[in-house]
Amino acid sequence: MRQEIKQTSGWMRLLGYALPALLATATAVAAPDEEALGRDAGYPVGANLAQAYQQRYMVGSFSAMDSVGPSCEQPPSDNPLPLEKAASQTAFHYRYRGGYYSLDDYMQHQRATAVVVVKDGRIVAERYNYGRTAQMRMLSNSMAKTVVALGIMKALEEGRIRSLDDRAQDYVPALAGTLYGGTRIVNLMRMASGARFVEDYSGRDDLTRFNVVMRNQGALQAAQSITERASPEGERFNYEGAQTTVLGLVLEGATGQTLCAWIGDKIWKPIGAQAASFWLLNPVDSTARAAGGFNATVYDYARLGMMMAADGMVRGQAVISREHLLDMTDASRQPQAFRPGYMADSRGSTYFGYGLQTWIMPGSHRRFVLLGIYGQAILVDPDLKLVVVHMGVGKDASGDASGNHFGLERDALLRGIVGTYGNW
């Protein structure tokens, strides 16, 4: 602490005021890998998307991504939903690998940029690392997939999409005769197109090749480039962001609007968003990067989670129908092969299930989570009216490949937060 403490202040002043300030400062400087992440340069923003994902630029870029490349704006609500703060913050604790830790401990262990906990519509705890603030727009990465799904369900609700059993080519005629074009929308949403597609973030996978085509030729041409099936559609979960790119094209074809305009009008404003949000655009064709290009403040991510926790309701009005939200997030509405305990991911884990562009968590009741690489997550527990927003800059895209066990400790933290209010 820079400010001197005068001797005349006495020990009571020192203990009552200076010590908490010192502790707060100690917590801030204890965030992991600050130097490697660009602290001494003020956490710089990358000059382009490739640089934005480099360690030195991740913190700055992940909270200013709309300045890195072209984007479209979704204006906030004319009547933002109030988001009050509790009079005092709740102390959360969790158990992890034989230890018993606090939320502050967690912020020192892992490269989390922000954690905001909302219970019954009030912020009961919030923490930030690396100089990030609640006013900054944070990159969603793959949490955007759930936002796209909400847009698809709203189009279904309004009759723009006739049925989720329709095929993508019914709304995107240029995909007629292609693998994705002939796939039912519900199977694209369930990550079950059957396409032979590896997404392991190695830089040599099918996702990398898909993104190269998309950047150089456009989203439509990238979708047309996937031609080989590994299994019949609808049978097996295989996570591939390309399917969400196709869903973005379906949404635009069905509504006659850009993804940005449709979701902005039908989802973003109705949740009572306080700040504008942005979608990154693919430069060559100006299509929204549906699979991971959404950017919003943590408070508005919380409002999004609150809407989903309330089964689609905001201030007595349905943003999206409860039935459609259950279709997206209720394990019992998914085929058994997509439920927690049955569905194997690329690593063979059966921990998660998968609904419609939304991860389903195991436990005593319905609980689901929006997930993005590098540490992004929004936990939603409708029974407890609990939402946890978690932003991060993980050391590697795969989650725990670096040995930091970011995903495992985050899960332990979420379990501890849930355990404060009820049973997992």
Side-chain angles (χ1 to χ4, degrees), residues 9-26:
S9 299
W11 286 105
M12 291 303 293
R13 178 176 175 82
L14 174 62
L15 292 174
Y17 294 93
L19 186 56
L22 282 165
L23 290 174
T25 303

Side-chain angles (χ1 to χ4, degrees), residues 298-346:
V298 288
Y299 286 174
D300 282 338
Y301 281 130
R303 290 179 172 94
L304 179 69
M306 288 162 59
M307 179 274 289
M308 299 183 80
D311 287 332
M313 301 296 290
V314 174
R315 290 187 282 214
Q317 299 294 318
V319 176
I320 191 164
S321 78
R322 180 175 185 272
E323 287 300 306
H324 285 152
L325 262 180
L326 290 174
D327 287 343
M328 289 175 60
T329 63
D330 190 336
S332 69
R333 296 199 177 196
Q334 317 309 320
Q336 181 172 291
F338 295 84
R339 297 176 187 174
Y342 295 94
M343 187 190 81
D345 64 17
S346 60

Side-chain angles (χ1 to χ4, degrees), residues 81-209:
L81 181 72
L83 187 56
E84 298 179 357
K85 296 187 180 184
S88 60
Q89 296 217 355
T90 301
F92 293 109
H93 293 86
Y94 64 100
R95 298 187 182 279
Y96 178 66
R97 293 192 165 181
Y100 186 63
Y101 302 110
S102 68
L103 177 55
D104 288 325
D105 292 329
Y106 178 82
M107 299 300 287
Q108 296 175 49
H109 294 172
Q110 298 295 346
R111 291 171 30 159
T113 48
V115 175
V116 177
V117 184
V118 177
K119 177 74 170 74
D120 297 322
R122 303 178 108 191
I123 297 172
V124 295
E126 60 183 319
R127 299 288 191 279
Y128 302 92
N129 272 340
Y130 312 113
R132 301 308 91 185
T133 70
Q135 289 69 45
M136 294 176 174
R137 282 186 289 272
M138 305 283 193
L139 176 65
S140 68
N141 286 318
S142 288
M143 296 195 309
K145 293 177 170 66
T146 308
V147 180
V148 171
L150 290 169
I152 290 281
M153 299 308 268
K154 194 65 181 179
L156 179 66
E157 201 170 294
E158 296 198 358
R160 305 296 187 98
I161 292 174
R162 295 177 296 275
S163 169
L164 295 185
D165 285 326
D166 287 351
R167 302 185 187 278
Q169 64 196 24
D170 296 336
Y171 302 93
V172 189
L175 288 178
T178 67
L179 186 152
Y180 285 140
T183 302
R184 298 183 190 281
I185 295 170
V186 68
N187 288 327
L188 292 170
M189 296 183 79
R190 199 167 271 143
M191 294 289 183
S193 70
R196 189 176 300 280
F197 195 102
V198 174
E199 183 167 330
D200 61 11
Y201 314 109
S202 64
R204 302 176 301 277
D205 59 0
D206 293 309
L207 178 65
T208 301
R209 289 186 284 274

